[in-house]
Amino acid sequence: MMHTLWLRAETKLNERRTPLIPAHARILVKNGYRVCVEASRDRIFSNSAYRKQGCILVEKGSWRFASRDTLILGLKELPEASFPLRHRHFYFAHAYERQTGSVDLLERFKSGGGFLYDLEQIKDPSGAQLVTGGAGYLAGLCAATACLDIWKQRQCERTGAYRVPLQFASCAELVAYARSLVTAHVPIPRILVIGHRGKSGTGVAHLLDEVGLGFDRSPKITNDYIQRRALLHQYDIIFNCIKLSKDTPVFLSKDMINADTRIGLIGDVSCEPTHPGNPIPIYSAPTNFAQPVFQTPEGIDVMAIDNITAMLPVECSQILSEQIFPYLCYFLLAQGVHEASPFVRVVDSFNLACRESLGRGSYDVSAGFADRPARAAKLPTRHASASFG
């Protein structure tokens, strides 16, 4: 039986990235897979580029009606709805750690008999992410550029809401634009980068170096060194680039803001506003390209666009697809046999999230899929659950 992979069209504002570029889709087609691609005017690669590679163009949003054994691939969250989810989905759901809305989403998968392979949960045995959400480094470049633009607008007389660029053709074009923002007419801000050693922190630091702005690197702020967060109030712009962990304390809450607080702008590159452990609980939802800033009653602007790398859709899509494609190929070939692979951990994480959020145990989502091989049925639940073929 020919297996079907379905690339859905993204619905998030200004989302032009894709987790599967045409060149990689062609490899699947040449190896006997049926690749359906939902038509999209926003995707950075044209519909015809996929058609030329042998993909089948289908209507946007039609994944709902695909056969149940179809594997659905996406990038960002599904459109808000309540219908049960009966397919197996690959995308960045951010739904395994009790984020806002995660319980309802897991319930939809549970009731529909589908399964969520959250791309951010593809990790090595030590817990390091193998698929990083499309280049943390690029996220740093984009976030730093957006914040410098917002800072300039904040200092100048402006009318209406803040605006940030929607996209650049290349990193070089983005850097050139960022340089143009640093002029003699704009006061030089005092900048702090938290998490400078990580990928996104490195991107922020590189951009600031490229435009000639000095900045300080924050020592790691943990529950054991919580006094370090007092340093934050001495800066105009703060970039949060940390990887959230159980040892991460609150960096800045509403009751910490006082007359001595100098902070004017926060670039929350990590962007975890819906996570119960959000270290910057002065805002509760991501911002977006239409409304890039949330302003607190105290006048602090927060830039937290969670798909900020959509500013560089070509480079980011290429990196995303290069990261995802090997695991996608493995998944298609493994046919339910996933010992010694990241999918064992992904399935375990999904089932753990269901137990903790819904109070229910694990279950075999492969049951009832028409093309499931007999050998997969004999495997323990966590391996059979990951079956595609």
Side-chain angles (χ1 to χ4, degrees):
M1 178 181 289
M2 180 180 289
H3 302 310
T4 301
L5 176 71
W6 194 288
L7 179 63
R8 61 176 172 84
E10 300 297 321
T11 57
K12 195 175 184 70
L13 183 65
N14 197 48
E15 187 51 82
R16 306 205 68 196
R17 303 170 299 169
T18 178
L20 183 70
I21 62 175
H24 289 158
R26 178 178 180 273
I27 295 172
L28 294 177
V29 171
K30 291 294 184 181
N31 282 276
Y33 292 96
R34 183 172 179 262
V35 180
C36 294
V37 176
E38 292 188 355
S40 171
R41 295 180 179 178
D42 299 320
R43 190 184 294 119
I44 194 62
F45 296 98
S46 67
N47 295 327
S48 61
Y50 287 94
R51 187 189 292 114
K52 288 178 181 177
Q53 304 303 336
C55 301
I56 302 168
L57 284 182
V58 294
E59 185 179 349
K60 181 178 181 178
S62 57
W63 61 266
R64 284 187 57 185
F65 310 105
S67 62
R68 188 171 177 241
D69 52 11
T70 299
L71 182 66
I72 313 297
L73 175 64
L75 183 61
K76 298 298 287 184
E77 60 264 28
L78 297 171
E80 289 188 14
S82 58
F83 60 86
L85 296 167
R86 61 193 183 92
H87 296 97
R88 284 158 290 186
H89 285 257
F90 270 63
Y91 69 101
F92 288 97
H94 310 294
Y96 287 1
E97 298 177 4
R98 294 180 176 269
Q99 293 93 332
T100 301
S102 61
V103 174
D104 291 339
L105 179 65
L106 293 174
E107 182 60 57
R108 291 175 65 194
F109 276 104
K110 196 80 170 183
S111 61
F115 204 88
L116 168 60
Y117 300 92
D118 197 332
L119 291 172
E120 73 168 346
Q121 296 296 326
I122 299 179
K123 301 177 180 179
D124 67 18
S126 67
Q129 278 185 255
L130 298 172
V131 177
T132 62
Y137 172 75
L138 294 186
L141 291 180
C142 294
T145 301
C147 283
L148 291 182
D149 204 339
I150 292 166
W151 176 256
K152 182 177 180 179
Q153 295 172 58
R154 182 183 169 99
Q155 304 308 308
C156 303
E157 291 186 9
R158 62 183 176 84
T159 57
Y162 289 109
R163 291 287 180 265
V164 296
L166 298 182
Q167 74 173 69
F168 295 95
S170 66
C171 285
E173 185 178 291
L174 177 144
V175 172
Y177 178 80
R179 287 197 184 104
S180 74
L181 299 171
V182 182
T183 68
H185 304 292
V186 180
I188 296 176
R190 190 176 184 197
I191 303 172
L192 181 70
V193 180
I194 309 174
H196 62 278
R197 292 188 178 90
K199 292 182 179 179
S200 62
T202 300
V204 169
H206 186 191
L207 192 284
L208 295 176
D209 283 337
E210 284 289 323
V211 302
L213 286 179
F215 60 94
D216 291 334
R217 297 167 172 82
S218 171
K220 189 173 183 180
I221 304 172
T222 65
N223 286 308
D224 291 334
Y225 297 98
I226 205 166
Q227 72 278 8
R228 291 174 175 172
R229 67 186 180 188
L231 298 171
L232 275 59
H233 300 275
Q234 305 170 18
Y235 293 88
D236 300 301
I237 300 177
I238 295 172
F239 289 98
N240 174 38
C241 306
I242 67 158
K243 175 62 177 174
L244 189 63
S245 70
K246 294 180 180 179
D247 192 37
T248 303
V250 170
F251 293 165
L252 185 69
S253 62
K254 295 177 181 179
D255 60 1
M256 295 177 190
I257 302 171
N258 54 49
D260 296 325
T261 300
R262 182 173 171 174
I263 305 168
L265 173 61
I266 297 175
D268 194 1
V269 192
S270 298
C271 195
E272 294 277 10
T274 66
H275 194 288
N278 175 23
I280 308 176
I282 60 175
Y283 76 112
S284 58
T287 59
N288 55 54
F289 282 92
Q291 296 179 312
V293 167
F294 170 83
Q295 188 170 82
T296 72
E298 298 78 16
I300 297 176
D301 291 325
V302 182
M303 192 291 299
I305 302 175
D306 64 355
N307 62 331
I308 191 68
T309 49
M311 277 188 179
L312 292 170
V314 175
E315 286 100 328
C316 191
S317 294
Q318 290 170 338
I319 293 173
L320 265 171
S321 194
E322 286 179 6
Q323 289 182 345
I324 293 170
F325 192 64
Y327 298 105
L328 187 62
C329 289
Y330 174 86
F331 189 87
L332 294 170
L333 292 170
Q335 299 189 14
V337 182
H338 294 312
E339 290 94 344
S341 86
F343 291 107
V344 171
R345 294 181 286 277
V346 175
V347 172
D348 285 346
S349 296
F350 176 85
N351 284 324
L352 177 61
C354 286
R355 287 196 298 272
E356 292 181 342
S357 299
L358 306 179
R360 305 178 197 172
S362 60
Y363 64 109
D364 184 356
V365 295
S366 293
F369 286 96
D371 60 345
R372 180 174 59 121
R375 62 173 178 165
K378 299 177 182 178
L379 294 171
T381 298
R382 67 177 185 174
H383 303 308
S385 296
S387 171
F388 176 80

